[in-house]
Amino acid sequence: MDQLAEWLSSSMGISADVALKLVSSAAVILFFWAVRALVLRIVWWRVDDLRSRYNWRKVSAYISVTIGFLIVGRIWLTGFQAFATFAGLVSAGIAIALKDTVANIAGWVFIVWRRPFAPGDRIQIGELIGDVIDVRVFQFSLLEVGGWVDSDQSTGRVVHVPNGMLMSTPLANYGAGFEYIWNEIPVLVTFESDWRKAKGILLSIATERAENLSEKAAQRIRESSKKFMIFYKTFTPTVYTSVKDSGVLLTIRYLCLPRERRGSTHVIWEDVLDQFEAAPDINLAYPTQRFFDHAVERKSAGGDGEHKE
């Protein structure tokens, strides 16, 4: 290393001390790069889970960069007191000039420390919904869901979100604490239909399709109650009744996994259409118009106010 430093000093015309520091810094960087590459290769051989591979890649990068930065700083600075003094002098200016950058770093620290989400989670931040596919120091990346695509399907776009948004924008995690969501399917039948029979059919379909999740959800909620104040008592599917302008509204409510909402809605609607088709006394309602012919359809009490017998 000393010989390489001497050659570098004579070739570039720099002092021997600076040349030695350059060579030492390059050696440190090369060493940690090689160690990280070796660790990742071993992980790739022995681990097949994509989430575990991603975590190894991120953690190894953070550790190697942090330790390497400290060692290189030790090489170039006479002591950490000088570095601390310098950092204290420029910190105020950096906070003002790089406000957004500092906010993004603070957001990254929040993600690492509090873990409001992890790669693979489906989240909503503001109006944006997507699956987290990467987390970096200044931003995290989402595979967008929704947008111009109906329901919870991916658009195929990758959206990069500044970490600083976490400090000022509400965040919803579809799977943290309680991994299921409540889905509702409104079914509108005419006033002339046998709505009680229709309600029974809907409840039977929902029970058949979603009942198997009830026990899993109950177990999950017992685990989540240790950390969050979640108080659900009923997990079985149900059907609620209300009245709208065009008919009787029967709303199916059931539990499903976030990524299966559209698929479960599709299956339930196909069952509903098949069974309603087989029931002549049940008809789906929709907005209609009726024209009233006063001369033909008026009651015995005419519109002129006279009672005719």
Side-chain angles (χ1 to χ4, degrees):
M1 185 176 295
D2 293 336
Q3 294 178 352
L4 181 60
E6 291 178 3
W7 174 83
L8 187 63
S9 175
S10 59
S11 300
M12 301 184 62
I14 58 179
S15 66
D17 182 60
V18 173
L20 182 59
K21 290 180 178 180
L22 288 174
V23 172
S24 300
S25 300
V28 169
I29 295 172
L30 182 61
F31 171 77
F32 280 103
W33 175 84
V35 170
R36 180 173 179 266
L38 178 61
V39 170
L40 291 181
R41 182 174 293 273
I42 295 174
V43 170
W44 253 247
W45 283 343
R46 298 189 176 185
V47 178
D48 295 327
D49 182 63
L50 295 179
R51 184 188 292 268
S52 298
R53 288 183 173 184
Y54 174 86
N55 290 334
W56 271 99
R57 181 166 58 86
K58 284 296 182 180
V59 171
S60 63
Y62 296 149
I63 293 176
S64 59
V65 170
T66 301
I67 298 177
F69 176 78
L70 293 176
I71 295 177
V72 171
R74 181 69 177 181
I75 292 173
W76 286 90
L77 298 175
T78 57
F80 281 101
Q81 291 182 349
F83 178 76
T85 303
F86 174 76
L89 293 174
V90 301
S91 59
I94 291 178
I96 296 174
L98 302 176
K99 180 181 65 175
D100 294 337
T101 301
V102 173
N104 290 334
I105 295 176
W108 173 75
V109 173
F110 175 74
I111 294 172
V112 173
W113 184 259
R114 294 294 300 171
R115 298 188 66 81
F117 58 80
D121 290 350
R122 175 163 294 182
I123 67 171
Q124 177 176 357
I125 181 166
E127 298 296 326
L128 182 63
I129 302 176
D131 298 323
V132 181
I133 59 175
D134 191 23
V135 178
R136 298 178 181 270
V137 176
F138 298 106
Q139 64 185 20
F140 60 92
S141 301
L142 301 178
L143 185 61
E144 186 185 36
V145 170
W148 67 85
V149 179
D150 290 337
S151 195
D152 295 332
Q153 299 295 106
S154 172
T155 64
R157 297 193 306 183
V158 175
V159 182
H160 303 290
V161 184
N163 292 336
M165 284 190 64
L166 293 173
M167 301 302 176
S168 58
T169 307
L171 171 72
N173 191 321
Y174 283 61
F178 187 51
E179 63 185 66
Y180 300 95
I181 60 173
W182 288 100
N183 188 35
E184 293 189 353
I185 302 177
V187 180
L188 190 65
V189 299
T190 61
F191 289 111
E192 294 78 16
S193 299
D194 186 345
W195 64 268
R196 290 184 176 85
K197 178 179 178 181
K199 184 174 182 178
I201 292 174
L202 297 180
L203 184 59
S204 175
I205 293 173
T207 301
E208 178 185 356
R209 295 296 183 181
E211 181 68 27
N212 61 330
L213 294 178
S214 300
E215 182 58 34
K216 297 179 182 178
Q219 177 63 30
R220 181 63 177 169
I221 207 65
R222 284 191 290 268
E223 297 174 359
S224 301
S225 62
K226 300 175 182 178
K227 185 177 181 181
F228 301 100
M229 294 184 64
I230 303 177
F231 301 103
Y232 285 144
K233 295 182 179 179
T234 303
F235 302 95
T236 55
T238 187
V239 179
Y240 292 101
T241 307
S242 60
V243 176
K244 298 296 181 181
D245 293 340
S246 301
V248 179
L249 180 64
L250 305 173
T251 303
I252 306 172
R253 180 177 171 86
Y254 65 98
L255 285 169
C256 69
L257 295 171
R259 290 178 173 82
E260 297 179 2
R261 189 169 74 93
R262 189 176 194 181
S264 64
T265 302
H266 161 77
V267 172
I268 289 176
W269 260 119
E270 286 194 342
D271 288 349
V272 170
L273 294 175
D274 288 340
Q275 297 200 33
F276 277 15
E277 184 179 8
D281 53 348
I282 300 176
N283 293 293
L284 293 174
Y286 50 88
T288 58
Q289 287 183 332
R290 178 184 176 187
F291 296 95
F292 178 76
D293 189 338
H294 177 72
V296 176
E297 300 185 51
R298 65 180 178 177
K299 297 181 179 180
S300 58
D304 55 3
E306 297 181 359
H307 180 69
K308 299 180 181 180
E309 298 182 356

